[in-house]
Amino acid sequence: MATAVLTQTVDLVARFPGMVSADTRPGFTGFIVNKENLVEVAASLRDEFGYDLLTAVTAVDYIAENKMEVVYHAYKTTGGGGLAFKVQVDRVDPIEVPSLVNIWAGVDFQEREAWDLFGIKFTGHPDLRRILMWEGFEGHPMRKDWKEPFFEEETKPFKSRWPEGKHTFAEQKNPFRDNLNFPKDFDPEKYVVDKEEDLYLSLERDTMKDIDGNMKTDHIVVNMGPHHPSTHGVLRVAVQLDGETIIGLKPVMGYLHRNHDKIGERNTYLQNIPYTDRLDYFNSMSNNFGYVTTVEKLMKIPVAERAEYIRVIMAELTRIQNHLVFIGMLMNDLGTMYTPSLYAFEERELILDIFEAVSGARMMCNYFRFGGVVRDIPDDVLQKIKDLVLERIPAKTDEMERFLNDNEILGARLKGIHVLNAEDAVRYSVTGPVLRAAGVPYDIRRADPYSVYDRFDFDVAVRHNGDMMDNYLIRFDEIRQSLRILEQAIKQMPQGPINSQKPAYQVRVPAGEAYGRVESPKGELGFYLVSNGKPNPYRYHVRPASFVNLTAIESICIGTKIADFVALLAMLDIVMGELDR
Amino acid sequence: MYGSGLLKSLKVTWDRFWVTYTEDISWWLRGKKRYNTLEGVAHRSSKDTKGIFTVQYPEEQLLLPEEARYIPFLVFNEGADGKKEVLCTSCGICAKVCPPQCIWIVRSNDAVTGRPVPEPTEFYIDADICMNCGFCAEYCPFDAIKMDHDFDIASYGRNIYNMEKLLKPSSYYQSIRPQNFKMEEEARKAKEAAKAAKAATAASAPAS
């Protein structure tokens, strides 16, 4: 509720007469800005009103009204609720909206995503290429009139499953028949990837300015990945090198893309919960948390008191295991193969044992429901959580610090490398530990509290150098703060029901929109939902932390050595399930 | 002094290395087996674990908690003459709630009355598509479909499970999920008792 009040205190309509109107559709908030005035309004939002952190940009295809809408969510790094503003344009190609990349650099990838999936041209964007789909793909898959291969019906549940459900294999339906749109002269037998020039040209553009006037030397382009063992999954980066120095870099992603958003729009609200597990597969509890919080916002239902505490306990355990794995993987990428990472994995396994005992699965937990959680924590598991939180994990964190912190080799590899300063971090919409290591004490648990986080006494971990060493050390700080929260949550947890709602496989969600966000271990995990009152969401959008954090990668690593680059991927803590969706 | 940090690091690995031996020896001195025993595996997944942490699958297996879930199965009660009383009424809720839509149910009508027969004629689960989320078991109003513990199902072909493969007796269900089984039995008995009490009052009401 606090969010809504804060949003209304900014009266954009009075400030920009004739340019801005309030969004008056039932269940919607925020403002609709005229396309022509977007850049002006956005600049004043940043400079005059202090909305310096633009976290989410996405589009919605209102096919019935023949409108395409771009939705922006801006926040202040000093805390408080957000401000949503939208631009509506006619749904006639070419759809053009001015790019905001010069005001908030963090919109770069998100605008490219909106271009890729919706076909909205952001005029003024310096590098508007496809980002998740492959170059040469025809169509824009998030549009409501686009159908995927093996398309069966608009929404689940499919009618062919019951009562006359004869099993068929999806692949037996010929994908080349009428379900798939290929370019007219496309022949898969003869296809050669030839659209890569754009990628290399985009590298060239950024690098020309640095070498102006210097001795003419040849630069080489190196492609790392998509199967390089250190690229954290199927991420590919095209790096331009001057000797060993990086002078240009573009990440290429989408190798694990499955259009999570489109799947989410076919699903019912409930069916989406297990799918969110598969976004950031290290932290399925946090993903559940974000999604369920957003739907609860839309449904306007309370959450059972005990369930709130169980949720916090699970989310913080998730954070601890994520950060432990982060430390282990950072060491792996630096070349201390396996010893530290397996020390970290031991503690992680013990935490996963807890997840398995309460939810039934170690990684794909599917534990949260609208209004609460699936089942209560059994007494023996609660005892195990207490043992871990009060005894084992503090001791093991100390051991890990003793093991690594003073190590001279580690210091030489981490200190002063890959510095991201506070100003750039905010400009690039970086969130989570990376932002805090750069000196901005911005944590959603404190800045815009959700669930019961306002009841706990904890500090927002912050470091000030923004280099790799601080990024490494801040993870330890956060583990300790999580342990503090866990201790309090276990102590304060009341008895009572674990769900405020009756179990129902079909929930009723009133029409409207909601943007919900949680502080996932990797940063801000946001969900943007539009409901039209039907059993399936009209628009389901995930704002993943690692995708947006990756926007800053090029500016961080220009001028550094290629050997340090792999460690940068570890520092940003990306996970491809979330990045590619 | 430069290098002291390195020595500190090595001290930790040395301690970790050494404890693998002392831990094994202490088990041996106490006359207990640390490997290939339930006790050993349980200790390795407890808060006190130290030394070698690995559980050597498949010789050893981690202990599954009761809630562990894998591909669902259909529960039947064993009737008097070995007849399988299938609990499923083919209401289709599991097929509707299934996120990847991997459940197919055939419901048929009675030839004489034309009304639907409760027991499903066919029931398929595509185990390759199933994401083991557990929704079907959670939302089944008849406790007829439950999640299994059997995860060693790797095979060379496609895994389409039909009725024959899916049906498992309730005694099996009781063996893998004793707590849940007890809870459900108690709930069922309470419901039946309430129904009987209601019927009794309804029967006595017109008489008085």
Side-chain angles (χ1 to χ4, degrees):
Chain A
M1 283 296 105
T3 316
V5 174
L6 278 166
T7 306
Q8 293 311 322
T9 52
V10 178
D11 193 356
L12 283 187
V13 184
R15 172 68 183 74
F16 299 103
M19 303 181 195
V20 176
S21 56
D23 193 344
T24 49
R25 289 170 288 178
F28 285 67
T29 53
F31 302 96
I32 297 174
V33 183
N34 290 351
K35 186 175 112 181
E36 295 74 31
N37 309 109
L38 178 67
V39 178
E40 186 190 336
V41 173
S44 109
L45 272 177
R46 186 192 64 181
D47 301 330
E48 204 176 308
F49 294 93
Y51 287 94
D52 46 356
L53 186 72
L54 189 84
T55 61
V57 181
T58 188
V60 189
D61 178 10
Y62 291 104
I63 193 166
E65 287 106 79
N66 204 27
K67 284 255 186 276
M68 202 62 104
E69 183 177 282
V70 184
V71 188
Y72 302 86
H73 287 271
Y75 287 87
K76 297 176 183 176
T77 46
T78 48
L83 182 118
F85 59 100
K86 298 147 198 183
V87 176
Q88 290 190 337
V89 278
D90 287 337
R91 199 178 177 285
V92 184
D93 282 314
I95 304 167
E96 286 183 344
V97 172
S99 168
L100 294 185
V101 82
N102 292 324
I103 295 164
W104 290 286
V107 301
D108 184 352
F109 285 4
Q110 299 191 69
E111 284 187 345
R112 275 177 69 188
E113 185 192 313
W115 153 247
D116 189 359
L117 303 183
F118 284 92
I120 297 171
K121 271 211 165 74
F122 289 90
T123 48
H125 191 290
D127 186 21
L128 200 66
R129 288 177 290 121
R130 284 188 181 274
I131 189 164
L132 294 171
M133 307 304 297
W134 44 290
E135 292 295 336
F137 182 85
E138 192 165 278
H140 300 284
M142 279 308 290
R143 289 191 177 180
K144 285 284 171 190
D145 49 6
W146 189 91
K147 309 265 189 291
E148 67 271 29
F150 312 131
F151 171 80
E152 201 170 330
E153 261 174 70
E154 278 296 332
T155 54
K156 290 175 188 173
F158 299 145
K159 289 181 188 68
S160 66
R161 299 299 193 269
W162 177 85
E164 280 140 27
K166 272 287 180 203
H167 176 267
T168 48
F169 288 112
E171 67 265 27
Q172 280 170 355
K173 300 173 198 160
N174 186 353
F176 293 99
R177 204 161 49 202
D178 51 7
N179 271 336
L180 198 57
N181 286 324
F182 285 101
K184 274 186 211 77
D185 45 357
F186 181 82
D187 179 6
E189 300 282 306
K190 290 186 188 131
Y191 179 70
V192 189
V193 185
D194 60 350
K195 297 282 175 82
E196 300 275 270
E197 275 73 31
D198 286 351
L199 169 65
Y200 301 130
L201 270 178
S202 76
L203 275 170
E204 202 59 43
R205 179 187 51 77
D206 275 13
T207 55
M208 287 306 266
K209 53 194 172 202
D210 281 3
I211 55 160
D212 220 286
N214 289 342
M215 189 175 73
K216 207 170 162 35
T217 50
D218 270 351
H219 298 149
I220 50 167
V221 173
V222 175
N223 274 295
M224 275 180 80
H227 286 285
H228 189 281
S230 286
T231 48
H232 291 251
V234 279
L235 176 73
R236 170 182 158 210
V237 279
V239 199
Q240 190 154 33
L241 293 175
D242 182 9
E244 267 192 272
T245 312
I246 298 174
I247 54 170
L249 180 143
K250 292 281 171 193
V252 184
M253 55 205 100
Y255 295 94
L256 205 60
H257 181 59
R258 58 227 184 247
N259 214 338
H260 185 87
D261 291 12
K262 190 87 177 180
I263 298 173
E265 285 167 19
R266 300 253 187 267
N267 282 344
T268 64
Y269 285 93
L270 185 76
Q271 285 171 343
N272 269 332
I273 302 175
Y275 277 95
T276 61
D277 289 341
R278 283 138 177 94
L279 279 169
D280 173 0
Y281 38 77
F282 280 105
N283 306 310
S284 62
M285 291 284 192
S286 311
N287 301 342
N288 282 186
F289 205 163
Y291 176 65
V292 166
T293 310
T294 315
V295 177
E296 279 156 3
K297 240 185 196 177
L298 262 179
M299 290 168 76
K300 299 184 183 66
I301 53 169
V303 182
E305 190 73 2
R306 187 176 168 83
E308 290 272 33
Y309 282 88
I310 296 178
R311 285 177 176 192
V312 168
I313 290 173
M314 292 306 154
E316 294 309 316
L317 283 173
T318 302
R319 194 181 314 277
I320 291 174
Q321 62 89 13
N322 178 75
H323 286 353
L324 283 168
V325 170
F326 164 87
I327 292 158
M329 286 300 140
L330 176 68
M331 296 308 133
N332 254 13
D333 285 346
L334 289 171
T336 34
M337 278 303 186
Y338 307 121
T339 305
S341 69
L342 286 177
Y343 288 1
F345 264 80
E346 267 185 33
E347 311 318 311
R348 175 169 187 259
E349 284 302 311
L350 294 176
I351 292 174
L352 294 193
D353 282 342
I354 292 170
F355 290 168
E356 191 178 22
V358 294
S359 76
R362 300 178 81 79
M363 287 178 79
M364 304 298 141
C365 297
N366 187 18
Y367 184 53
F368 290 38
R369 295 289 177 274
F370 309 130
V373 292
V374 186
R375 60 183 74 81
D376 211 340
I377 305 182
D379 289 338
D380 57 324
V381 180
L382 194 62
Q383 185 55 44
K384 197 170 174 190
I385 296 175
K386 280 181 193 163
D387 290 342
L388 283 186
V389 169
L390 301 177
E391 292 173 39
R392 188 172 167 104
I393 294 175
K396 289 289 166 182
T397 315
D398 288 346
E399 190 196 59
M400 202 71 161
E401 287 213 275
R402 222 169 41 243
F403 181 35
L404 297 167
N405 280 12
D406 295 336
N407 193 310
E408 283 87 359
I409 301 174
L410 190 73
R413 288 299 305 274
L414 297 183
K415 271 186 199 142
I417 314 274
H418 295 321
V419 182
L420 177 67
N421 62 41
E423 206 176 298
D424 275 351
V426 174
R427 213 160 55 84
Y428 279 108
S429 309
V430 171
T431 47
V434 187
L435 178 66
R436 292 190 284 275
V440 183
Y442 184 75
D443 186 323
I444 301 169
R445 291 175 292 173
R446 177 58 53 76
D448 186 12
Y450 54 95
S451 189
V452 288
Y453 276 108
D454 48 355
R455 299 182 198 172
F456 303 119
D457 180 24
F458 68 100
D459 300 321
V460 174
V462 64
R463 298 248 166 191
H464 298 280
N465 295 328
D467 61 350
M468 297 256 291
M469 195 63 183
D470 274 7
N471 268 286
Y472 158 78
L473 289 172
I474 202 165
R475 261 61 179 209
F476 282 114
D477 301 346
E478 294 208 346
I479 291 176
R480 292 190 202 288
Q481 296 306 328
S482 288
L483 287 170
R484 268 177 81 186
I485 296 174
L486 277 167
E487 268 177 48
Q488 296 167 50
I490 293 168
K491 207 176 283 169
Q492 294 174 14
M493 186 162 72
Q495 291 297 327
I498 43 116
N499 199 327
S500 65
Q501 310 293 307
K502 282 203 173 112
Y505 71 94
Q506 196 77 277
V507 290
R508 236 191 63 73
V509 180
E513 61 159 8
Y515 180 70
R517 54 187 199 143
V518 293
E519 183 72 29
S520 91
K522 295 184 162 63
E524 171 177 336
L525 175 69
F527 286 87
Y528 179 70
L529 288 173
V530 177
S531 165
N532 55 0
K534 297 219 173 92
N536 310 69
Y538 184 76
R539 177 78 176 103
Y540 166 87
H541 174 70
V542 188
R543 184 261 185 221
S546 27
F547 179 71
V548 184
N549 285 3
L550 203 69
T551 321
I553 195 171
E554 192 177 8
S555 80
I556 298 175
C557 72
I558 283 183
T560 60
K561 296 275 185 283
I562 180 82
D564 289 326
F565 172 70
V566 172
L568 174 63
L569 287 178
M571 165 186 141
L572 290 176
D573 202 5
I574 55 168
V575 61
M576 298 316 286
E578 183 184 65
L579 214 158
D580 280 347
R581 280 158 296 141
Chain B
M1 190 194 74
Y2 191 83
S4 62
L6 283 177
L7 291 176
K8 242 168 114 181
S9 296
L10 288 174
K11 170 83 170 43
V12 173
T13 36
W14 172 256
D15 289 348
R16 285 261 194 161
F17 169 73
W18 189 239
V19 87
T20 57
Y21 291 97
T22 54
E23 180 71 3
D24 281 7
I25 292 167
S26 84
W27 278 70
W28 179 72
L29 286 178
R30 279 179 285 150
K32 287 181 180 176
K33 277 188 79 183
R34 188 162 193 263
Y35 302 100
N36 297 313
T37 56
L38 281 182
E39 192 192 4
V41 173
H43 184 264
R44 263 174 281 164
S45 45
S46 75
K47 70 172 166 78
D48 300 316
T49 177
K50 53 185 174 181
I52 289 176
F53 185 74
T54 317
V55 172
Q56 295 287 347
Y57 181 84
E59 287 81 15
E60 300 173 305
Q61 280 194 8
L62 278 175
L63 303 175
L64 285 180
E66 187 176 327
E67 293 301 340
R69 50 181 153 81
Y70 210 62
I71 308 284
F73 64 93
L74 291 173
V75 186
F76 70 86
N77 287 332
E78 283 135 311
D81 48 348
K83 201 177 158 292
K84 289 180 180 175
E85 294 168 6
V86 181
L87 297 181
C88 177
T89 60
S90 51
C91 69
I93 286 179
C94 53
K96 284 176 206 156
V97 78
C98 177
Q101 297 284 296
C102 71
I103 301 178
W104 282 260
I105 304 170
V106 181
R107 186 184 65 183
S108 39
N109 293 336
D110 195 295
V112 186
T113 59
R115 289 165 65 95
V117 186
E119 193 173 309
T121 316
E122 258 309 344
F123 198 108
Y124 302 97
I125 291 178
D126 191 336
D128 300 330
I129 295 176
C130 176
M131 69 205 290
N132 314 318
C133 67
F135 275 162
C136 49
E138 196 180 320
Y139 291 101
C140 176
F142 305 100
D143 291 323
I145 185 164
K146 291 292 169 192
M147 300 304 280
D148 210 338
H149 275 188
D150 180 20
F151 54 85
D152 307 281
I153 60 155
S155 73
Y156 286 106
R158 295 288 303 259
N159 302 292
I160 315 298
Y161 291 6
N162 57 11
M163 283 277 273
E164 196 185 339
K165 176 123 189 187
L166 285 169
L167 280 173
K168 289 186 181 177
S170 55
S171 56
Y172 172 76
Y173 173 54
Q174 190 181 3
S175 74
I176 61 166
R177 291 180 197 273
Q179 301 285 340
N180 277 303
F181 183 80
K182 213 173 117 198
M183 251 159 48
E184 280 156 21
E185 282 295 294
E186 275 163 14
R188 199 182 353 262
K189 279 194 185 120
K191 212 171 164 186
E192 268 165 26
K195 211 171 167 186
K198 206 174 167 194
T201 47
S204 60
S208 62

